[in-house]
Amino acid sequence: MELSTFVDRLRNGDAAKFPHDADSLAFAQRLDSQDSLSHLRDEFILPTKSSLKKRALDGSVPGSATANHNGVNGSNGVNGTNGTIGHKAKSDDADQGIYFVGNSLGAQPKAVRKYLDAQLETWASIGVNGHFTTLENSPLTQWQDLAEDCAIKSTDIVGASASEIVIMNTLTANLHMMMASFYKPTEKRHKIILEWKPFPSDHYAIESQILMHGLDPEKSMVKIQPNEDSLIPTEKILATIDEHAEETALILLPGIQYYTGQLFDMPTITRHAQTKGIVVGWDLAHAAGNVELKLHDWGVDFACWCTYKYINGGPGSIAGVFVHEKHGKVEFDSETGKPVYRPRLMGWYGGDKSVRFNMDNNFLPTPGAGGYQVSNPSAIDLASLSGALSVFGKTTMHDLRSKALVLTAYAEYLLDQIQADSADETPLFHIITPRDPAQRGTQLSVLLKDGLLEDVSQALEENGVLCDKRKPGVIRVAPVPLYSRFEDVWRFMQVLRGALGL
């Protein structure tokens, strides 16, 4: 069966219907041979079994010509984790790791080293002039335009115009900055609707914003509780909005819930909340670079995301913000001539480039999201992100999502096969991520039977598998389409079978 057939079925909301031989290495490799995105894997450096044991720097990276499987000089240079299928030595096959933790930290794009080297050479060669000079043969633009360049490269990822995107700060800092502008509580409207178990930093940010307005979080935080299956149906969110509409100033939800992997119906929720006069913000930490987004078309007021997960910008890398064009307008008072714009926290890098270096105290914001900047962003961080975004320029979110749908469905199918082969009366695990492909990204959260987490985690580690665990008993399995193969999914399941005693 063709890979494209599975894509079409899943895109249409139908079941994948894998054949009887799907639980085989040959079937997984057959899908890989049909994968039009398989070349993107070679854009990344993935940890190997041997590199995961490294305890000291030795100048090598996995697959480099300067390291063998013991981490010392002498390798033949074949990349054992992401070389071309069919051209790897058996020893390299044996050393392959499996990187299913891109939902926590994306793998390193090879382009990042090139882009960082270019930034460092520029800094060393022309110093401060790097702010205003673009060197020939460089993949980077001048430093003061780097954030704008990254915004341009992010348009397909979040579905917005470049002027609605600004690259700055980190995720929680940006949530604070957006709430400083968009959360305007009154005596009547003061509530913020959120989910029951947001990522802790989101909870802290929301709670502290409420406290800083002199309000009581117990009265101003509305937490949507899940059903018994740990999921929050769209209908429950809409009902909560209706119940608290007259008292709610803001709704701030994750595009994808980090623990269960549930993808929320962002356009429906946004539209419904706004009809009630509620400002809508989204935390897209687990959605950006994972699923298709159309923030402008959906009319979202603001959104924030990190870039170190599915976008692969590096640990703690600089984050992104979307501000709808209706909130980024800069107009001028007909009488005073002064600029009129949405109030926000201000800083010199939010000032328009035409006056930014005048060094006066007359703030003229850059039109669009760029006017919400505060500080000069790190050129090193931007160089790293620019390198990561260059990989996205070789594909589209539509194509990545298409492959992800099949990768995740295949993982789900194999997990069901493991469950079916178990003789235990008590299920060894439950998949708590929605079964409907339209309600999830490329992550399956697997809730293990009590007492299995540590043994499973140890087995994964011993077999060179990087996979996120969340106590008390969840492993989050994330086969990222940029660099994951169907063969990786199949091999992962063999390790899991062994860990479960099957």
Side-chain angles (χ1 to χ4, degrees), residues 452-472:
L452 289 179
L453 181 62
E454 293 307 318
D455 287 345
V456 168
S457 298
Q458 182 178 347
L460 294 175
E461 182 179 348
E462 290 174 351
N463 284 275
V465 178
L466 282 174
C467 184
D468 185 64
K469 68 176 181 179
R470 297 282 169 169
K471 293 182 177 180

Side-chain angles (χ1 to χ4, degrees), residues 274-352:
Q274 289 178 338
T275 63
K276 308 293 183 179
I278 299 171
V279 174
V280 179
W282 290 97
D283 178 345
L284 303 176
H286 287 266
N290 181 2
V291 296
E292 292 168 277
L293 302 169
K294 299 184 183 300
L295 299 182
H296 174 83
D297 292 347
W298 296 341
V300 171
D301 291 301
F302 73 87
C304 303
W305 61 93
C306 57
T307 63
Y308 54 81
K309 300 181 190 295
Y310 294 97
I311 299 177
N312 314 300
S317 57
I318 193 167
V321 171
F322 164 86
V323 178
H324 198 278
E325 64 179 9
K326 62 190 174 188
H327 300 304
K329 294 179 180 178
V330 179
E331 299 171 326
F332 293 87
D333 186 278
S334 58
E335 295 184 2
T336 65
K338 292 184 177 180
V340 179
Y341 48 89
R342 184 180 185 87
R344 79 284 304 267
L345 297 178
M346 299 187 299
W348 76 302
Y349 246 69
D352 193 78

